[in-house]
Amino acid sequence: MALRAMGLLVAFWLAVVLVVGGFVAAEAVLCVAMSPASLALLVVAPGLATLVTALCSRAGPTPTIRLTPASTRLWELVHSAADDVGVEAPTSVQLDAGVAVRLASRRRLVIGVPLLAAVNPGQLSVLVRRALSEDVRFRPAIAWGVRFLSRTRDTLARTPRWNAPARPAVRAFTAYYLRVAEQALTTSDSAEVRWEREVIEELWELFLVRYAALGLRAGFLPARPMAGFRRLLDAELPLGDEARASALLAEGETLDHAFAQLLSEEQRAMPRADWDTLADLSQRHEVTRSALEVLGGLTLGAALDRLAAGELAFLAKPGATDVVASVRYRLALVVTAALADVGVVRWRMAWPGPPELVVDDPGAEAITTALDEAAALTPEVLPLRMLLVVSGVPPDFRPVRQLSSPR
């Protein structure tokens, strides 16, 4: 597989050289012959120039952080694994955001941060021994090919339409190369490891998309991200009380610290919030945005006035087939934003699943009844007005797009 991967890389470059070289040669011949066809070939030039630019672009380095000597127990595990395999121990151990243990070079071992949260020390030792025992020919070149072809494919996908003919070919070639490279660089998981790497990868992706990024639109990040990932793991794959491999890290090198170092500078500068506050901020942000869209500049009191006058259609979604149902749904968004603004409703994190709505007095049942009456075919808005007044919502309430700091 390693030889096949190298052959594919060579074949790809030969194809590029033949295409570009053939174009240049044909253009030169046609220009010498003063042929009008040379002008037709120049139409292809911008596409080839973009392709060459994509091939020559450099990717930014993959974010990693170096493990310091302070994490003595993790270093001891790595050295013990190297002795078991009979190889020289790595001189550098780095952490990244992947879900694997791999040799980036003969002397540099890379361990994924989410992996340290998911496996116990015994399982980590097995993975380190397996990584140290793998001696793949052309490993650096194959790994470079993975990064290079993936970057080229992604760059071409964002370029103008004159590169459209090259995209399917590059995409198909890259997909095949990635399959070959994966088989060349990895071996099947050891039977001693009691977890499925694919499941951990899926949960890590879910965590990043659904949870870690939960507060991004509101401008916040979780204060303890990896504690949240552990909660998700416990919910989906009960781990029990057994210590995780993260316990091998030094006190100052927690998983949360490592996760923070893998973020961009802009993300590291963002304010932090605990998970429940983050859930509340993110949901308030979404419901506020929806309420602004529904009201269209009106105050909540003015909207209720129009409902009381029998004007349902103005609050319904344009083109809605069931006007009453649409008004009920959209009015609930506005009322929820108003009650969240005064602290009657809030959200807290639920693992797994979306944030959970918590309702204080006057209670969910009273709110539901008042909304049903206000959004009926013959609206009765007085109960809803009274409920809002008791809850502390002013008649001139308008959703405010800019959220305040965590309360």
Short mmCIF file of all heavy atoms in Angstrom, two decimals, residues 274-321:
data_model
loop_
_atom_site.label_atom_id
_atom_site.label_comp_id
_atom_site.label_asym_id
_atom_site.label_seq_id
_atom_site.Cartn_x
_atom_site.Cartn_y
_atom_site.Cartn_z
N ASP A 274 -19.55 28.94 31.74
CA ASP A 274 -19.77 27.53 32.09
C ASP A 274 -20.85 26.96 31.15
O ASP A 274 -21.53 27.70 30.43
CB ASP A 274 -20.18 27.38 33.56
CG ASP A 274 -21.49 28.09 33.86
OD1 ASP A 274 -22.54 27.67 33.33
OD2 ASP A 274 -21.47 29.07 34.62
N TRP A 275 -21.02 25.65 31.17
CA TRP A 275 -21.86 25.00 30.16
C TRP A 275 -23.32 25.44 30.24
O TRP A 275 -23.97 25.67 29.21
CB TRP A 275 -21.75 23.48 30.28
CG TRP A 275 -20.49 22.96 29.67
CD1 TRP A 275 -19.40 22.48 30.31
CD2 TRP A 275 -20.20 22.88 28.27
NE1 TRP A 275 -18.43 22.11 29.40
CE2 TRP A 275 -18.90 22.34 28.15
CE3 TRP A 275 -20.89 23.21 27.11
CZ2 TRP A 275 -18.28 22.12 26.92
CZ3 TRP A 275 -20.29 23.00 25.87
CH2 TRP A 275 -19.00 22.47 25.79
N ASP A 276 -23.88 25.56 31.44
CA ASP A 276 -25.28 25.99 31.55
C ASP A 276 -25.46 27.43 31.07
O ASP A 276 -26.43 27.75 30.37
CB ASP A 276 -25.77 25.85 32.99
CG ASP A 276 -26.06 24.40 33.37
OD1 ASP A 276 -26.26 23.58 32.46
OD2 ASP A 276 -26.09 24.09 34.57
N THR A 277 -24.52 28.30 31.43
CA THR A 277 -24.60 29.69 30.96
C THR A 277 -24.44 29.74 29.44
O THR A 277 -25.11 30.52 28.76
CB THR A 277 -23.50 30.54 31.63
OG1 THR A 277 -23.66 30.47 33.04
CG2 THR A 277 -23.59 31.98 31.19
N LEU A 278 -23.57 28.90 28.92
CA LEU A 278 -23.35 28.85 27.48
C LEU A 278 -24.63 28.41 26.75
O LEU A 278 -24.99 28.99 25.71
CB LEU A 278 -22.22 27.87 27.16
CG LEU A 278 -21.55 28.00 25.81
CD1 LEU A 278 -20.77 29.30 25.73
CD2 LEU A 278 -20.62 26.82 25.57
N ALA A 279 -25.31 27.38 27.30
CA ALA A 279 -26.56 26.93 26.70
C ALA A 279 -27.59 28.06 26.71
O ALA A 279 -28.30 28.29 25.72
CB ALA A 279 -27.10 25.72 27.47
N ASP A 280 -27.68 28.79 27.84
CA ASP A 280 -28.63 29.88 27.95
C ASP A 280 -28.30 31.00 26.97
O ASP A 280 -29.18 31.52 26.27
CB ASP A 280 -28.63 30.40 29.39
CG ASP A 280 -29.73 31.42 29.64
OD1 ASP A 280 -30.91 31.09 29.40
OD2 ASP A 280 -29.41 32.55 30.05
N LEU A 281 -27.04 31.38 26.89
CA LEU A 281 -26.63 32.45 25.99
C LEU A 281 -26.92 32.11 24.53
O LEU A 281 -27.44 32.93 23.77
CB LEU A 281 -25.14 32.73 26.16
CG LEU A 281 -24.71 33.51 27.40
CD1 LEU A 281 -23.20 33.45 27.56
CD2 LEU A 281 -25.19 34.95 27.31
N SER A 282 -26.60 30.88 24.14
CA SER A 282 -26.78 30.49 22.74
C SER A 282 -28.25 30.46 22.36
O SER A 282 -28.64 30.95 21.29
CB SER A 282 -26.13 29.13 22.49
OG SER A 282 -26.80 28.11 23.22
N GLN A 283 -29.10 29.90 23.24
CA GLN A 283 -30.52 29.81 22.91
C GLN A 283 -31.18 31.19 22.96
O GLN A 283 -32.05 31.48 22.15
CB GLN A 283 -31.21 28.85 23.88
CG GLN A 283 -30.70 27.42 23.80
CD GLN A 283 -30.75 26.86 22.39
OE1 GLN A 283 -29.73 26.73 21.72
NE2 GLN A 283 -31.94 26.55 21.92
N ARG A 284 -30.77 32.03 23.91
CA ARG A 284 -31.30 33.40 23.95
C ARG A 284 -30.93 34.16 22.68
O ARG A 284 -31.73 34.93 22.14
CB ARG A 284 -30.76 34.14 25.17
CG ARG A 284 -31.42 33.72 26.49
CD ARG A 284 -30.77 34.45 27.64
NE ARG A 284 -30.92 35.89 27.51
CZ ARG A 284 -30.10 36.77 28.08
NH1 ARG A 284 -29.05 36.36 28.78
NH2 ARG A 284 -30.30 38.06 27.93
N HIS A 285 -29.72 33.93 22.22
CA HIS A 285 -29.28 34.58 20.99
C HIS A 285 -30.17 34.17 19.81
O HIS A 285 -30.61 35.02 19.03
CB HIS A 285 -27.83 34.20 20.69
CG HIS A 285 -27.30 34.78 19.42
ND1 HIS A 285 -26.77 36.05 19.34
CD2 HIS A 285 -27.24 34.27 18.17
CE1 HIS A 285 -26.40 36.29 18.10
NE2 HIS A 285 -26.67 35.24 17.36
N GLU A 286 -30.45 32.86 19.69
CA GLU A 286 -31.26 32.37 18.57
C GLU A 286 -32.69 32.86 18.66
O GLU A 286 -33.29 33.27 17.67
CB GLU A 286 -31.21 30.84 18.54
CG GLU A 286 -29.86 30.26 18.16
CD GLU A 286 -29.40 30.74 16.81
OE1 GLU A 286 -30.21 30.72 15.86
OE2 GLU A 286 -28.23 31.17 16.69
N VAL A 287 -33.28 32.78 19.89
CA VAL A 287 -34.69 33.17 20.02
C VAL A 287 -34.84 34.69 19.86
O VAL A 287 -35.85 35.17 19.33
CB VAL A 287 -35.26 32.66 21.36
CG1 VAL A 287 -34.85 33.55 22.54
CG2 VAL A 287 -36.77 32.56 21.29
N THR A 288 -33.84 35.45 20.26
CA THR A 288 -33.87 36.90 20.07
C THR A 288 -33.82 37.25 18.59
O THR A 288 -34.56 38.12 18.11
CB THR A 288 -32.70 37.57 20.81
OG1 THR A 288 -32.83 37.33 22.22
CG2 THR A 288 -32.67 39.07 20.56
N ARG A 289 -32.95 36.57 17.87
CA ARG A 289 -32.87 36.80 16.42
C ARG A 289 -34.20 36.48 15.74
O ARG A 289 -34.68 37.23 14.89
CB ARG A 289 -31.75 35.94 15.83
CG ARG A 289 -31.54 36.11 14.34
CD ARG A 289 -30.41 35.21 13.85
NE ARG A 289 -30.70 33.81 14.12
CZ ARG A 289 -31.48 33.06 13.35
NH1 ARG A 289 -32.06 33.58 12.27
NH2 ARG A 289 -31.67 31.79 13.64
N SER A 290 -34.83 35.37 16.13
CA SER A 290 -36.12 34.99 15.55
C SER A 290 -37.21 35.99 15.92
O SER A 290 -38.05 36.35 15.08
CB SER A 290 -36.51 33.59 16.03
OG SER A 290 -35.57 32.62 15.63
N ALA A 291 -37.20 36.46 17.17
CA ALA A 291 -38.22 37.41 17.61
C ALA A 291 -38.11 38.74 16.86
O ALA A 291 -39.12 39.36 16.51
CB ALA A 291 -38.09 37.64 19.12
N LEU A 292 -36.88 39.19 16.62
CA LEU A 292 -36.68 40.41 15.84
C LEU A 292 -37.27 40.27 14.44
O LEU A 292 -37.90 41.20 13.91
CB LEU A 292 -35.19 40.72 15.75
CG LEU A 292 -34.56 41.42 16.96
CD1 LEU A 292 -33.04 41.35 16.87
CD2 LEU A 292 -35.02 42.87 17.03
N GLU A 293 -37.07 39.11 13.85
CA GLU A 293 -37.59 38.86 12.51
C GLU A 293 -39.12 38.85 12.53
O GLU A 293 -39.77 39.39 11.63
CB GLU A 293 -37.06 37.52 12.00
CG GLU A 293 -37.57 37.14 10.62
CD GLU A 293 -37.10 35.76 10.21
OE1 GLU A 293 -36.11 35.26 10.77
OE2 GLU A 293 -37.76 35.17 9.33
N VAL A 294 -39.73 38.26 13.56
CA VAL A 294 -41.19 38.17 13.65
C VAL A 294 -41.81 39.54 13.84
O VAL A 294 -42.78 39.92 13.17
CB VAL A 294 -41.61 37.22 14.80
CG1 VAL A 294 -43.12 37.29 15.02
CG2 VAL A 294 -41.20 35.78 14.48
N LEU A 295 -41.28 40.33 14.78
CA LEU A 295 -41.89 41.62 15.10
C LEU A 295 -41.65 42.68 14.03
O LEU A 295 -42.46 43.59 13.86
CB LEU A 295 -41.35 42.13 16.45
CG LEU A 295 -41.85 41.37 17.68
CD1 LEU A 295 -41.19 41.90 18.93
CD2 LEU A 295 -43.37 41.44 17.80
N GLY A 296 -40.54 42.59 13.31
CA GLY A 296 -40.28 43.54 12.24
C GLY A 296 -40.27 44.98 12.68
O GLY A 296 -40.76 45.87 11.97
N GLY A 297 -39.76 45.26 13.89
CA GLY A 297 -39.67 46.63 14.37
C GLY A 297 -40.76 47.01 15.35
O GLY A 297 -40.67 48.06 16.00
N LEU A 298 -41.83 46.22 15.45
CA LEU A 298 -42.89 46.50 16.41
C LEU A 298 -42.46 46.18 17.84
O LEU A 298 -41.55 45.37 18.05
CB LEU A 298 -44.14 45.67 16.09
CG LEU A 298 -44.92 46.00 14.82
CD1 LEU A 298 -46.03 44.99 14.63
CD2 LEU A 298 -45.49 47.42 14.88
N THR A 299 -43.12 46.78 18.82
CA THR A 299 -42.97 46.32 20.20
C THR A 299 -43.91 45.16 20.41
O THR A 299 -44.86 44.94 19.62
CB THR A 299 -43.31 47.44 21.19
OG1 THR A 299 -44.71 47.77 21.05
CG2 THR A 299 -42.45 48.67 20.95
N LEU A 300 -43.68 44.39 21.49
CA LEU A 300 -44.58 43.28 21.79
C LEU A 300 -45.99 43.79 22.07
O LEU A 300 -46.99 43.18 21.65
CB LEU A 300 -44.04 42.49 22.99
CG LEU A 300 -44.88 41.31 23.48
CD1 LEU A 300 -45.23 40.35 22.35
CD2 LEU A 300 -44.16 40.57 24.61
N GLY A 301 -46.09 44.94 22.78
CA GLY A 301 -47.41 45.50 23.07
C GLY A 301 -48.16 45.87 21.81
O GLY A 301 -49.37 45.62 21.68
N ALA A 302 -47.46 46.46 20.84
CA ALA A 302 -48.10 46.84 19.57
C ALA A 302 -48.56 45.60 18.80
O ALA A 302 -49.63 45.61 18.17
CB ALA A 302 -47.14 47.67 18.73
N ALA A 303 -47.77 44.54 18.85
CA ALA A 303 -48.15 43.30 18.17
C ALA A 303 -49.41 42.71 18.80
O ALA A 303 -50.31 42.23 18.09
CB ALA A 303 -47.01 42.31 18.23
N LEU A 304 -49.50 42.76 20.12
CA LEU A 304 -50.69 42.23 20.80
C LEU A 304 -51.91 43.10 20.50
O LEU A 304 -53.04 42.59 20.40
CB LEU A 304 -50.43 42.15 22.30
CG LEU A 304 -49.40 41.11 22.75
CD1 LEU A 304 -49.23 41.14 24.27
CD2 LEU A 304 -49.79 39.71 22.28
N ASP A 305 -51.69 44.40 20.35
CA ASP A 305 -52.80 45.29 19.97
C ASP A 305 -53.39 44.88 18.62
O ASP A 305 -54.62 44.85 18.44
CB ASP A 305 -52.33 46.74 19.90
CG ASP A 305 -52.05 47.33 21.28
OD1 ASP A 305 -52.54 46.76 22.28
OD2 ASP A 305 -51.32 48.34 21.35
N ARG A 306 -52.54 44.58 17.68
CA ARG A 306 -53.00 44.18 16.35
C ARG A 306 -53.68 42.83 16.38
O ARG A 306 -54.67 42.59 15.68
CB ARG A 306 -51.84 44.19 15.35
CG ARG A 306 -51.29 45.58 15.11
CD ARG A 306 -50.19 45.59 14.06
NE ARG A 306 -50.68 45.20 12.74
CZ ARG A 306 -49.95 45.23 11.62
NH1 ARG A 306 -48.69 45.65 11.68
NH2 ARG A 306 -50.46 44.86 10.46
N LEU A 307 -53.17 41.93 17.23
CA LEU A 307 -53.85 40.65 17.39
C LEU A 307 -55.24 40.84 18.00
O LEU A 307 -56.21 40.21 17.57
CB LEU A 307 -53.03 39.71 18.29
CG LEU A 307 -51.89 38.92 17.64
CD1 LEU A 307 -51.20 38.06 18.69
CD2 LEU A 307 -52.40 38.04 16.50
N ALA A 308 -55.32 41.70 19.01
CA ALA A 308 -56.62 41.96 19.66
C ALA A 308 -57.63 42.53 18.67
O ALA A 308 -58.84 42.31 18.79
CB ALA A 308 -56.43 42.92 20.83
N ALA A 309 -57.14 43.25 17.65
CA ALA A 309 -58.01 43.82 16.62
C ALA A 309 -58.36 42.79 15.55
O ALA A 309 -59.06 43.12 14.58
CB ALA A 309 -57.34 45.04 15.99
N GLY A 310 -57.90 41.57 15.71
CA GLY A 310 -58.22 40.51 14.77
C GLY A 310 -57.28 40.39 13.59
O GLY A 310 -57.56 39.66 12.64
N GLU A 311 -56.15 41.10 13.63
CA GLU A 311 -55.17 41.03 12.53
C GLU A 311 -54.18 39.89 12.77
O GLU A 311 -53.11 40.10 13.34
CB GLU A 311 -54.42 42.35 12.41
CG GLU A 311 -55.29 43.55 12.13
CD GLU A 311 -54.46 44.82 12.04
OE1 GLU A 311 -53.38 44.79 11.40
OE2 GLU A 311 -54.86 45.83 12.63
N LEU A 312 -54.54 38.69 12.36
CA LEU A 312 -53.64 37.56 12.55
C LEU A 312 -52.56 37.48 11.48
O LEU A 312 -51.42 37.10 11.75
CB LEU A 312 -54.43 36.24 12.57
CG LEU A 312 -55.15 35.91 13.87
CD1 LEU A 312 -56.63 35.84 13.65
CD2 LEU A 312 -54.62 34.62 14.45
N ALA A 313 -52.94 37.81 10.26
CA ALA A 313 -52.07 37.53 9.11
C ALA A 313 -50.71 38.23 9.23
O ALA A 313 -49.70 37.70 8.76
CB ALA A 313 -52.75 37.94 7.81
N PHE A 314 -50.67 39.41 9.88
CA PHE A 314 -49.41 40.15 9.93
C PHE A 314 -48.33 39.40 10.70
O PHE A 314 -47.14 39.59 10.49
CB PHE A 314 -49.63 41.53 10.56
CG PHE A 314 -49.49 41.56 12.06
CD1 PHE A 314 -48.28 41.94 12.65
CD2 PHE A 314 -50.54 41.16 12.88
CE1 PHE A 314 -48.14 41.96 14.02
CE2 PHE A 314 -50.40 41.17 14.25
CZ PHE A 314 -49.21 41.58 14.83
N LEU A 315 -48.75 38.53 11.64
CA LEU A 315 -47.79 37.82 12.47
C LEU A 315 -47.45 36.43 11.90
O LEU A 315 -46.52 35.78 12.36
CB LEU A 315 -48.34 37.66 13.90
CG LEU A 315 -47.32 37.48 15.02
CD1 LEU A 315 -46.33 38.62 15.08
CD2 LEU A 315 -48.03 37.32 16.37
N ALA A 316 -48.23 35.98 10.90
CA ALA A 316 -47.98 34.66 10.31
C ALA A 316 -46.81 34.72 9.35
O ALA A 316 -46.48 35.78 8.80
CB ALA A 316 -49.22 34.17 9.59
N LYS A 317 -46.17 33.59 9.15
CA LYS A 317 -45.09 33.51 8.17
C LYS A 317 -45.66 33.69 6.78
O LYS A 317 -46.69 33.08 6.45
CB LYS A 317 -44.38 32.15 8.29
CG LYS A 317 -43.17 32.03 7.39
CD LYS A 317 -42.43 30.72 7.62
CE LYS A 317 -41.19 30.62 6.75
NZ LYS A 317 -40.45 29.37 6.98
N PRO A 318 -45.04 34.50 5.94
CA PRO A 318 -45.57 34.71 4.59
C PRO A 318 -45.74 33.38 3.85
O PRO A 318 -44.84 32.55 3.82
CB PRO A 318 -44.50 35.58 3.92
CG PRO A 318 -43.84 36.30 5.06
CD PRO A 318 -43.85 35.33 6.21
N GLY A 319 -46.94 33.20 3.28
CA GLY A 319 -47.21 31.98 2.52
C GLY A 319 -47.64 30.81 3.37
O GLY A 319 -47.82 29.70 2.83
N ALA A 320 -47.83 31.00 4.68
CA ALA A 320 -48.22 29.89 5.56
C ALA A 320 -49.61 29.40 5.18
O ALA A 320 -50.53 30.19 4.97
CB ALA A 320 -48.19 30.33 7.01
N THR A 321 -49.78 28.07 5.11
CA THR A 321 -51.09 27.50 4.78
C THR A 321 -52.02 27.50 5.98
O THR A 321 -53.22 27.65 5.84
CB THR A 321 -50.92 26.06 4.25
OG1 THR A 321 -50.19 25.29 5.22
CG2 THR A 321 -50.16 26.05 2.93
#
